[in-house]
Amino acid sequence: MRVVKDEKTPWICDKCNKELQVKLTKVVYLGGTFEVELMQCPQCKMVLIDEDLALGKMLEVEKSLEDK
């Protein structure tokens, strides 16, 4: 069973106890660089990489680098 997060429930940083905010973030992954909107803690700047990004764009970059 997959639990779907209620969009009205904020994501909270476990370290700082601050609500995460959507920020345009430069991501460097396996030599590839791209910008993506990520949930980020306003205090410690840690980001939440959701499943869609991890299994989508990041997987694309990984596969393209493996093919070279």
Side-chain angles (χ1 to χ4, degrees):
M1 172 194 249
R2 183 176 179 175
V3 177
V4 178
K5 182 185 174 312
D6 178 358
E7 293 300 321
K8 295 177 183 171
T9 303
W11 287 93
I12 304 295
C13 178
D14 189 50
K15 178 180 176 184
C16 304
N17 202 35
K18 301 283 185 186
E19 184 175 338
L20 302 184
Q21 301 171 349
V22 177
K23 299 284 184 180
L24 189 61
T25 307
K26 184 177 181 180
V27 177
V28 178
Y29 182 69
L30 294 176
T33 303
F34 52 96
E35 288 190 335
V36 64
E37 287 188 339
L38 294 175
M39 298 291 289
Q40 182 182 68
C41 175
Q43 186 168 324
C44 71
K45 307 299 183 202
M46 292 294 287
V47 296
L48 171 68
I49 298 176
D50 64 22
E51 183 178 11
D52 291 336
L53 177 60
L55 298 177
K57 185 70 174 176
M58 292 176 85
L59 186 59
E60 281 179 37
V61 171
E62 187 174 318
K63 286 183 177 183
S64 71
L65 290 172
E66 286 176 355
D67 292 341
K68 290 181 179 181

